[in-house]
Every structure is written in C-alpha cells, then in structure tokens.
Amino acid sequence: KTEKQRADAVAQQQACADARNQIRMLDSDQLILNRINEKGEPVYLDEAMRNKERDRLGLQIRENCAG
C-alpha cells in the first residue's frame, strides 16, 4: 500500500471508532448539548434528535466500517 492508502485507512478506522463512541454516548442517559440558542440558553438533544443522530451514525457505520 502507498502512504496515502495507509493514511486513508487509519483515518477511516478513527472515523468508525468515533461514530461507535458517539452512539454509545447517545445510548447513555447523559444530557448532550446540541447548541446554545439566541438567548444564550443551552439546548439539549431530545429523544427524537437522539434517534435521528443514532440512525445517521448507524448508517455511516454500516456503509463505511468493517464488522
């Protein structure tokens, strides 16, 4: 493999690990900050937003990650 191929493979593995970690965080009961609104108040992910993000990450993992 070329250096670029190796670097791309390492980056892909890291992206897969990050996505799996994000899913674990979404599955926890931990509050997850989504953004700060115009009043400066924190806006947290609600259950619908968690599910949507979990689905997006799951698709990313199925399409791009081995195992």
Side-chain angles (χ1 to χ4, degrees), residues 8-60:
D8 288 347
V10 168
Q12 184 63 38
Q13 288 174 345
Q14 185 60 52
C16 291
D18 291 345
R20 288 184 179 105
N21 287 335
Q22 289 175 30
I23 285 179
R24 277 192 283 283
M25 188 171 58
L26 289 167
D27 288 341
S28 74
D29 290 334
Q30 179 179 352
L31 284 177
I32 300 173
L33 182 64
N34 184 36
R35 63 185 172 88
I36 303 293
N37 68 16
E38 58 282 346
K39 296 179 185 178
E41 301 167 332
V43 177
Y44 297 96
L45 288 181
D46 64 17
E47 196 60 34
M49 289 188 287
R50 279 179 185 258
N51 290 335
K52 185 175 180 180
E53 184 64 6
R54 192 179 294 112
D55 290 345
R56 184 189 71 77
L57 289 165
L59 179 63
Q60 177 184 331

